[in-house]
Amino acid sequence: MAISALFLLIFLILHLSTNLLSVFSESAFNKASYFMGYNPFVQYLMQPILFFGVIFHFIMGFVLEIRNNKSRPIKYAINNASANSTWMSRNMIISGGVILAFLALHLFDFWYPETAYKYFPGNGNSEDTERFWGELHHKFQTTWRVVFYVIGFVLLGLHLAHGFQSSFQSIGARRPKYTPIIESMGKWYAILVPLGFILVAIFHYAGLAPIFS
């Protein structure tokens, strides 16, 4: 569970880096998106590994939740959980479920149309390298979609706030010497990464042009 989480933490940084290019340069975003969408190494090796990592992480999350519940069938008579744990740490399964629904929408919005465009006949010129920025810009013109994305990113941040530190603790990296650094990194990661995705969504919803031509 921890290893798959760390893998996804790295992926989120890469994904955000690509998306942020759309704020700065339409040309740079188009080139990066074309590379990610047509490079054989990315498409036929990294993408299947990513899908496996996501599915594995969510399945293990539900499995661990079920095991934890079964390990104590009789609940505490008095349980002041808030005294020694955060709400998010006690409800990772809830935020994870909402993020899973958000991920399904994200795949429907971007991965499915891209796959249909490239591999199904009659969907246009698969070698069009200038379409990516316009497609992203158009997708975020719908208010309800932007609102749902913002909510999803906020929940992602809450999920990361606990998941980042928990992952390092699970692999044995939580030591007095490193704990303050890990906690600080986790806090800033949980804030900046979702905030970056929210910035991209709002930027395109507002109809703004890239900072650089």
Side-chain angles (χ1 to χ4, degrees):
M1 183 69 176
I3 292 174
S4 64
L6 292 174
F7 170 73
L8 295 175
L9 289 173
I10 295 173
F11 163 74
L12 281 174
I13 294 178
L14 297 174
H15 192 43
L16 175 60
S17 299
T18 302
N19 285 357
L20 280 175
L21 286 176
S22 69
V23 174
F24 295 96
S25 170
E26 179 176 344
S27 175
F29 177 75
N30 283 333
K31 291 178 180 178
S33 298
Y34 182 81
F35 174 82
M36 298 297 289
Y38 289 89
N39 182 274
F41 175 77
V42 174
Q43 286 295 298
Y44 303 122
L45 180 62
M46 297 308 300
Q47 185 170 260
I49 292 176
L50 173 62
F51 274 111
F52 174 80
V54 171
I55 294 171
F56 180 83
H57 185 74
F58 278 104
I59 290 177
M60 284 303 301
F62 289 112
V63 169
L64 290 175
E65 180 72 11
I66 293 172
R67 288 183 177 180
N68 289 339
N69 291 332
K70 286 185 176 181
S71 66
R72 186 171 293 278
I74 301 176
K75 306 300 180 183
Y76 289 110
I78 299 176
N79 182 21
N80 187 15
S82 60
N84 53 27
S85 63
T86 64
W87 181 90
M88 184 50 60
S89 67
R90 300 191 306 273
N91 295 278
M92 290 291 280
I93 193 69
I94 296 177
S95 61
V98 176
I99 293 171
L100 184 60
F102 163 72
L103 182 60
L105 174 63
H106 188 61
L107 291 174
F108 179 78
D109 277 346
F110 294 100
W111 180 80
Y112 173 74
E114 181 66 16
T115 301
Y117 186 92
K118 289 190 296 186
Y119 300 115
F120 289 90
N123 285 293
N125 177 15
S126 62
E127 296 300 320
D128 182 3
T129 62
E130 304 299 323
R131 60 187 171 84
F132 301 99
W133 192 92
E135 291 174 352
L136 177 66
H137 192 74
H138 175 74
K139 189 64 68 174
F140 283 120
Q141 296 303 300
T142 309
T143 301
W144 71 263
R145 177 175 282 106
V146 174
V147 171
F148 191 79
Y149 266 75
V150 170
I151 294 173
F153 289 134
V154 170
L155 284 173
L156 175 63
L158 295 174
H159 194 80
L160 291 171
H162 174 73
F164 188 99
Q165 300 177 43
S166 178
S167 299
F168 281 93
Q169 181 177 351
S170 296
I171 62 174
R174 192 173 180 86
R175 296 289 187 273
K177 180 179 180 181
Y178 306 114
T179 296
I181 299 175
I182 293 174
E183 289 180 347
S184 179
M185 289 175 57
K187 179 182 70 176
W188 286 110
Y189 185 99
I191 294 173
L192 295 178
V193 170
L195 190 61
F197 283 114
I198 290 173
L199 171 65
V200 172
I202 294 178
F203 174 87
H204 288 282
Y205 179 71
L208 301 176
I211 297 175
F212 305 106
S213 58

